[in-house]
Amino acid sequence: MFVVQGCRGYVPAVQTTLRASGPLPAAAAWERYADLDLWSHWAPQISGVAVAGGHARRLHPGLTGTVRAAGLVHVPFEVLAVDEAARTWSWRVRVGPITLHLDHGVDDPRPDDGPHVGARTWLRTTGPGLVVLPYAPLALVALHSLLLER
């Protein structure tokens, strides 16, 4: 599912919401988010993650570092919030003057999902439309990959 909304503010911004479901159980999908060493296994646009200051390589509020995108671009990030129990987290990434805010979550399947759905995931991205909209197809591929058993 793909939804685009306009946002208020001085700089034109949009917000996309992407959703995916797949066979991997929700707890396992959350671990793929929480363990930074696993990001490049399910997100094709990420080739590595470096953390600042020798921090643990698990999501926690205040974690900073860089994501290496496509092996070329180093994108600084800061994790803003993590709720392990709710399996949600938020972070901010910056490329020059451009800032994106991304909210992620993993949910248990709904009763009407059927036997082959182990989890649902979602991503809400807010930022300049010229960056958010082209990023959406890559992000949707990553969300589906996050939930594949392999």
Side-chain angles (χ1 to χ4, degrees):
M1 176 188 262
F2 180 78
V3 177
V4 178
Q5 295 176 291
C7 296
R8 293 183 182 161
Y10 183 74
V11 177
V14 298
Q15 183 177 84
T16 60
T17 302
L18 307 174
R19 300 180 194 287
S21 61
L24 193 70
W30 172 252
E31 280 305 309
R32 288 183 177 178
Y33 269 143
D35 183 345
L36 277 61
D37 290 326
L38 298 178
W39 286 11
S40 62
H41 297 272
W42 56 266
Q45 71 274 26
I46 295 176
S47 53
V49 180
V51 296
H55 285 227
R57 297 190 55 80
R58 185 170 181 85
L59 286 178
H60 65 272
L63 178 69
T64 60
T66 57
V67 171
R68 197 169 54 252
L72 303 170
V73 180
H74 291 77
V75 180
F77 71 85
E78 177 184 8
V79 175
L80 304 173
V82 177
D83 185 335
E84 293 249 3
R87 295 188 298 253
T88 61
W89 68 286
S90 298
W91 61 327
R92 178 176 43 232
V93 298
R94 294 182 188 198
V95 180
I98 297 170
T99 300
L100 299 179
H101 185 101
L102 301 97
D103 300 306
H104 297 264
V106 176
D107 298 323
D108 291 317
R110 296 188 314 223
D112 62 339
D113 277 334
H116 300 295
V117 175
R120 302 174 144 270
T121 188
W122 52 269
L123 164 62
R124 186 173 42 252
T125 306
T126 306
L130 289 174
V131 178
V132 172
L133 295 175
Y135 176 67
L138 289 172
L140 192 56
V141 167
L143 288 180
H144 282 285
S145 182
L146 175 75
L147 298 176
L148 293 177
E149 293 179 325
R150 40 178 144 155

